[in-house]
Each structure stands twice: as structure tokens, then as C-alpha cells.
Amino acid sequence: MPTSDLHDPILDWYDEHQRDLPWRRPEASPWSVLVSELMLQQTPVVRVLPVHEAWLERWPTPADLAAEPTGEAVRAWGRLGYPRRALRLHAAATAIVAEHDGEVPSDYDDLLALPGVGDYTAAAVASFAFGRRHVVLDTNVRRVLARVVGGAELPGRSLTRAERDAAAALVPDDAATAATWAVAVMELGALVCTAAGPRCEACPVAERCAWHLAGHPAYDGPPRRAQAWDGTDRQCRGRLMAVLRENHAPVHRSALDATWPDEAQRTRCLAGLVADRLVAQVAPDVYALP
DNA sequence: GAGCCGTGGTC
DNA sequence: TGACCAAGGCT
């Protein structure tokens, strides 16, 4: 199948159905795009929107954030989850000031070197903020291509070389078009070609989709184990972090003890948070955000 | 490469 | 109701 057959329908669909998101507007700075990408890692758009707006209002440039203690970034992160991302974003801002004169770099390798920026985020920022041509492969794109090209309901657990090659072969030659293509396929995955309950009747390429044409065969790959939650260290760490976020003054250990019944686990998690630099011990039995 | 890292919404 | 999942990265 000529891969270009997919371009026009998806680009036209995006032109008509794209969401108006702050980091997509013409006036959005590369910093705004970078902040959005860190926040959107494993976190839905609707929860990111208010935090992103407040973040850019408070820290309009990387230098503004780098000038603050890391704990302020962790507090402003709020309940987005995975608070180490706040630490990484602060560290990225510091590196941007130190190594790039305060300007978010446009080069993929420079972006990849920043804390919290992996292959996806580097490609996304280079593409969305600077119009560069890259293979932007996130979970949405992987799912869309698995269905349209691969005829499978869901992609495999790990990204394969063949999968990356297939995605690369679909990227339009022109850089500006490639950048729009990247965001368009992601948007299609987010709004139509969703993991559960895809709306094939609204899909611009349903009649070219291998999975749709095959009658929606069910996923038959290796089982995807569900994340445990109740009683895990992650839940315990979340409780501890919530207390420290809510208190602007340092808190005594007794206030933390009340949040989790298992003392051994609680102590271990607190030590882990300190080791991760998400929590600072400011005195014996007294803790605060760093 | 598998395991770990938060949080809250959805069907 | 609860399992699944949401623009990943790091070790």
C-alpha cells in the first residue's frame, strides 16, 4: 500500500478536528512545549491544562524556574503524579541556562541530553516547537500504526526496530508537513483510535485500516500485567508527598506517621524520597520539600 | 529488558 | 466494582 495514501486523510482530519491546546498555539514558546511534554508523560491532557497554565505564568522562561528551589517545582507540580518529573524539569531548566544561554535547544541530541527528556520527548519538542522532521513515536502513534499498518489491536510491549522503521517510512519528506503529521497521528490516537472503544466510524482511514478490515481481531500478544496499587511503595510515597506539599512549613515525623500504618514501609519510603531528593530532612525528625 | 515511579478517570 | 489506562524515562 502506498503509504502516502494515509497522509491527506489524516492531515485533513487533523485540520478539522484538532483540539485548541495552549502549547499548540502559534505564540507558544519552546519552553511551553517542553513543559507540556514533561507534564503529559503518562498524564491526561485535562489534568495537565491548569497546572501548565499556572506554571508558565509563574515561570515564563527556563531561567525563572532555575532560579527557584527544586521544592517549589515539586509543590507546583501538584497532583500530576510522578513528581520526579518536576525535579527533572527543574534540572532541565538549569541545564538550559547553563549550557544553552537560557534558550530551549532545537537540536534533537541537545534535547535528548536534558534530564527527563528521552527519545519521544526530544523528537516531540524538536518537531512541535521547531518544525524539525523526526519520528515521533508515543503510545498513541504506536497504537494507530499497529492497527492501520499492522492489523493488530495493540502494539507489543516493547518498541521493535521493525516498528520504528515502519513509522519512519511514513514520515513525510517535507519538515513542516512531517511536524504536522506527527501531531496529527497522535491526535487521531487520542481522540478516535483510542485503546478502549475506538470510534472507527469517525476515522478518516478506517477503510484503509488493516485491523478494521480484518474485523477487529482481539489482542493476542503477551499479557500486559496491570499495575498493582494498594499497599505499594508508590501509594505510600504519594501519601507522604501529599502531606509535604500541603504544608508550607517543615513537618514533624509524627505528621507523616499518621498517613501510613506500616511503620517499616513508611520509614523505607521516606528514606527513598530523601534519597531521590524529593524530600529534605531539615532537622532530626523534621522534613520539608527541598 | 523488566521493574519502578503517582494520580485519577473511565467503561 | 475494579481492571485498565494516560503525549515516558531511568536504572
Side-chain angles (χ1 to χ4, degrees):
Chain A
M1 169 178 67
T3 55
S4 58
D5 287 355
L6 298 174
H7 290 161
D8 286 348
I10 290 179
L11 291 170
D12 290 346
W13 173 88
Y14 180 71
D15 188 54
E16 185 174 354
H17 297 283
Q18 62 175 284
R19 289 169 292 181
D20 174 31
L21 301 175
W23 45 88
R24 284 185 188 162
R25 291 173 189 154
E27 68 272 20
S29 65
W31 172 238
S32 174
V33 175
L34 178 63
V35 171
S36 78
E37 290 301 337
L38 267 290
M39 290 182 172
L40 287 164
Q41 291 169 1
Q42 302 287 282
T43 305
V45 166
V46 290
R47 223 178 307 163
V48 165
L49 282 169
V51 181
H52 178 272
E53 180 178 9
W55 193 282
L56 268 293
E57 173 114 2
R58 181 172 177 183
W59 299 305
T61 71
D64 295 319
L65 176 59
E68 297 246 24
T70 56
E72 288 305 304
V74 173
R75 194 186 306 282
W77 197 256
R79 308 183 68 82
L80 287 183
Y82 294 142
R84 292 199 284 205
R85 292 182 294 163
L87 245 35
R88 292 170 184 158
L89 184 51
H90 186 281
T94 302
I96 289 166
V97 170
E99 299 166 25
H100 302 285
D101 296 323
E103 300 292 330
V104 175
S106 59
D107 181 72
Y108 171 89
D109 290 315
D110 290 336
L111 288 162
L112 190 61
L114 297 173
V117 177
D119 169 67
Y120 161 74
T121 303
V125 173
S127 181
F128 304 155
F130 298 104
R132 301 292 180 88
R133 184 179 183 277
H134 284 285
V135 182
V136 182
L137 260 183
D138 77 322
T139 185
N140 286 306
V141 176
R142 290 191 66 210
R143 184 176 57 251
V144 171
L145 297 186
R147 289 174 179 169
V148 176
V149 179
E153 181 184 19
L154 298 168
R157 296 206 48 79
S158 57
L159 181 61
T160 64
R161 176 60 187 271
E163 193 179 349
R164 171 167 290 280
D165 290 346
L170 286 174
V171 177
D173 294 330
D174 172 66
T177 309
T180 304
W181 166 255
V183 70
V185 178
M186 286 177 60
E187 190 77 334
L188 186 65
L191 298 182
V192 173
C193 194
T194 55
R199 303 188 298 116
C200 298
E201 72 282 359
C203 180
V205 291
E207 67 280 6
R208 296 176 175 79
C209 176
W211 182 60
H212 185 63
L213 293 173
H216 297 184
Y219 177 74
D220 66 346
R224 343 178 109 227
R225 78 174 49 77
Q227 301 183 78
W229 177 246
D230 286 333
T232 61
D233 283 4
R234 283 198 294 173
Q235 186 183 29
C236 180
R237 287 164 59 106
R239 295 263 185 91
L240 296 171
M241 289 302 298
V243 172
L244 293 166
R245 275 198 310 268
E246 292 156 8
N247 289 276
H248 285 252
V251 303
H252 192 266
R253 186 183 186 108
S254 58
L256 299 171
D257 290 348
T259 65
W260 196 260
D262 183 333
E263 179 182 353
Q265 185 179 22
R266 191 179 64 234
T267 300
R268 170 163 46 83
C269 286
L270 183 56
L273 290 170
V274 172
D276 289 343
R277 308 275 186 180
L278 281 165
V279 173
Q281 184 173 5
V282 297
D285 290 325
V286 180
Y287 298 87
L289 294 183

